[in-house]
Amino acid sequence: MPDPILYISRQEAEQLEGRFAQALSNPRDVPIIFQIWGIGGVGKTTLKNRLKQNHQKNADFVEVSFGVTPDILTAIDVMNQLYQQLPKTNILQKDLLGKQPFKELYQQYRETIHQLETQPSESKKAVDQAQIDAVKKLVGRGASAIASLTPGSPIPAPIAGQAAEAVIDYSTNILSVKDNLQELLQQHKATKKKRELQELMLNPLPKLTQAFVEELKQNKRPVILILDTYEKASQDIDFWLWQYLATELHQQRTCIKLILAGRHNLLKQEPWRKLQQDYNLISTYDLDRFDAEQTQAYLQQIGLTHERQVKKVFQITKGLPYYLNLIRNQRQQGETLDFFQFNEEIISLLLQGLNSTQKKVVQFVACCRSFDQPLVKFLINSQDNLDFDQAVAQNLNCFDWLKKLNFVESVQGSY
């Protein structure tokens, strides 16, 4: 049996545990969302698992991890995956007709999609490529993109920063897609003359989210939804979370809470900041690396007590819990400490989620003691295959993109 992960308490973690315990005692009070954020290897997953372990007797925890859990490409996939994990013995079945709102609506949605994919519309003899493409748009970005342009919804972030002409083109394109889908739904025997079903197929997120919350409310115990490695979630899923799920939970005052663990602070994004400003639904906890005292306490538990060695470990690892755990594993195997052995693993951890071009830019800049905009521009433009203005992200030059990385710090005007 593997040794348990060593746990060193931190102020932020203690605050989270205390606030979370209070939330379970008064589940209909805010906050609804608990966010744990920080750089890779700082202990987010360890803290999340500790919350599960300490409170599993009082609540049901269901979880997805973006980049790990398979088949969660859309918000609808996420809801279904979470729903499937819920202990069915804890469902109260309070509905007078014994209905399961989410299960039934989800099945209707999936069965209709299958019919649209495999059966031709009434005006055609066989399913053609145009119909296949229309259905793909329906189950992919189409539904969420259409939802993002419903009244009262902001234009999606990648679009908002573009020129007005681009916004108009985008909106026109989405409306054109919607017209094509409406035509298919009006002509297909599975959906023809079924107005409610057509509305569900065109804009499934609000209806399925409401049914999802309704069914989870029937659970005997509070339900905790965990979304891990949230930095890998798509923009469509992020849109669903703040636009639909968080709003629905707030309006219904349910005993459902969310734990989000990821590398970025939600409140740095305008939609989340506005949601917090209006409703105060979010409690955020920034996990940092261990300080010298915490590192010493960790090392003492694994038998490293020599003062000079402790100082050396702290200097090299900068108190990163993931790094310290690698050292612990190496000692348990009876091997001599070899810090260089871990370098590639730590680099891969910190650069996780970046594409090859982005990694290259970070590696160039990492050769400098610090950087500012003129230096980054010179470095990047000196490379034949890189462009300072558009190499790494849409609407962000390399300098502005680098500043936003969670392992970059601002110190006296430089980074």
Side-chain angles (χ1 to χ4, degrees):
M1 181 177 177
D3 292 332
I5 296 293
L6 291 180
Y7 184 78
I8 302 296
S9 183
R10 287 175 271 185
Q11 182 179 0
E12 298 84 355
E14 291 174 0
Q15 290 173 347
L16 169 58
E17 292 191 65
R19 193 82 185 272
F20 186 74
Q22 289 177 351
L24 289 186
S25 300
N26 302 285
R28 286 176 172 79
D29 292 344
V30 294
I32 290 172
I33 300 172
F34 294 84
Q35 195 212 0
I36 308 168
W37 68 279
I39 65 171
V42 82
K44 300 183 294 293
T45 297
T46 300
L47 179 54
K48 173 210 72 180
N49 289 339
R50 183 176 174 85
L51 288 174
K52 287 177 63 176
Q53 180 181 348
N54 290 346
H55 298 283
Q56 59 186 353
K57 292 182 180 179
N58 303 315
D60 289 323
F61 290 79
V62 292
E63 177 177 359
V64 296
S65 180
F66 297 101
V68 177
T69 305
D71 303 323
I72 51 170
L73 300 178
T74 70
I76 296 172
D77 297 333
V78 172
M79 285 189 281
N80 185 53
Q81 185 71 240
L82 292 169
Y83 171 77
Q84 293 298 330
Q85 296 174 41
L86 198 66
K88 298 301 181 281
T89 54
N90 284 345
I91 296 292
L92 289 176
Q93 297 292 355
K94 284 184 177 179
D95 191 285
L96 294 176
L97 299 177
K99 290 183 178 180
Q100 295 175 287
F102 176 75
K103 181 178 180 180
E104 293 177 3
L105 196 63
Y106 176 78
Q107 287 179 343
Q108 182 185 29
Y109 175 78
R110 292 306 314 174
E111 287 169 2
T112 305
I113 289 293
H114 178 71
Q115 290 176 298
L116 294 173
E117 286 178 325
T118 58
Q119 300 172 10
S121 62
E122 292 185 349
S123 61
K124 299 176 182 178
K125 295 182 178 180
V127 177
D128 58 17
Q129 190 60 46
Q131 181 174 330
I132 293 172
D133 291 341
V135 176
K136 284 182 178 179
K137 289 186 175 72
L138 201 59
V139 297
R141 288 188 55 87
S144 54
I146 290 168
S148 70
L149 287 175
T150 54
S153 299
I155 291 175
I159 305 302
Q162 297 178 11
E165 293 82 358
V167 175
I168 293 171
D169 289 344
Y170 174 82
S171 305
T172 302
N173 182 52
I174 293 301
L175 294 175
S176 175
V177 168
K178 186 174 182 179
D179 289 341
N180 293 338
L181 293 175
Q182 283 179 325
E183 183 179 353
L184 171 62
L185 296 174
Q186 289 166 359
Q187 294 182 357
H188 200 282
K189 64 180 181 180
T191 51
K192 187 177 181 180
K193 296 182 180 180
K194 299 177 182 177
R195 183 175 177 180
E196 286 190 9
L197 182 56
Q198 290 180 23
E199 291 175 354
L200 171 67
M201 303 312 295
L202 277 175
N203 195 8
L205 289 182
K207 295 179 181 296
L208 281 166
T209 303
Q210 186 178 29
F212 178 68
V213 172
E214 283 293 334
E215 188 147 350
L216 265 59
K217 281 171 58 180
Q218 298 178 18
N219 205 58
K220 292 178 182 178
R221 309 195 304 175
V223 178
I224 313 301
L225 311 176
I226 299 178
L227 307 183
D228 202 1
T229 55
Y230 190 68
E231 71 276 2
K232 296 185 179 181
S234 69
Q235 287 186 331
D236 288 344
I237 290 173
D238 185 66
F239 171 84
W240 160 74
L241 192 61
W242 62 259
Q243 177 73 7
Y244 292 109
L245 183 59
T247 305
E248 189 72 27
L249 294 178
H250 168 66
Q251 290 174 346
Q252 299 215 25
R253 293 288 177 173
T254 68
C255 358
I256 305 167
K257 304 290 183 184
L258 283 82
I259 297 176
L260 270 59
R263 295 191 175 193
H264 309 299
N265 185 356
L266 289 180
L267 299 183
K268 287 190 175 182
Q269 302 175 40
E270 183 58 32
W272 286 104
R273 190 161 51 241
K274 183 68 165 61
L275 187 72
Q276 179 71 347
Q277 179 182 325
D278 291 345
Y279 304 115
N280 192 32
L281 304 181
I282 309 164
S283 188
T284 64
Y285 300 87
D286 174 14
L287 285 193
D288 204 347
R289 294 163 290 196
F290 288 162
D291 59 25
E293 185 177 337
Q294 292 164 338
T295 301
Q296 183 179 15
Y298 185 99
L299 295 176
Q300 283 179 344
Q301 293 189 49
I302 65 174
L304 275 175
T305 58
H306 192 279
E307 184 178 353
R308 180 179 294 179
Q309 197 171 31
V310 169
K311 286 183 178 179
K312 181 181 179 182
V313 170
F314 181 67
Q315 182 181 18
I316 293 173
T317 66
K318 301 296 188 292
L320 187 68
Y322 183 87
Y323 206 148
L324 295 172
N325 192 55
L326 292 177
I327 292 173
R328 171 180 177 251
N329 292 337
Q330 194 175 61
R331 281 183 61 80
Q332 286 179 339
Q333 294 168 12
E335 301 175 6
T336 304
L337 285 184
D338 180 6
F339 297 107
F340 295 104
Q341 177 182 333
F342 303 133
N343 284 353
E344 287 300 319
E345 189 165 350
I346 298 300
I347 290 171
S348 296
L349 175 73
L350 292 174
L351 299 184
Q352 197 174 61
L354 304 185
N355 62 39
S356 58
T357 301
Q358 292 168 340
K359 288 179 181 179
K360 187 181 296 185
V361 169
V362 171
Q363 288 164 341
F364 277 135
V365 177
C367 296
C368 309
R369 187 179 297 272
S370 63
F371 68 88
D372 56 16
Q373 181 159 337
L375 175 61
V376 174
K377 190 168 186 177
F378 174 80
L379 284 173
I380 302 307
N381 287 341
S382 66
Q383 307 301 312
D384 292 337
N385 58 340
L386 291 179
D387 180 84
F388 173 76
D389 291 318
Q390 55 186 11
V392 290
Q394 188 177 22
N395 301 322
L396 284 177
N397 63 42
C398 289
F399 175 70
D400 289 336
W401 175 80
L402 282 164
K403 289 192 302 181
K404 296 178 181 295
L405 296 179
N406 52 21
F407 48 78
V408 170
E409 298 176 331
S410 174
V411 180
Q412 297 180 350
S414 293
Y415 295 88

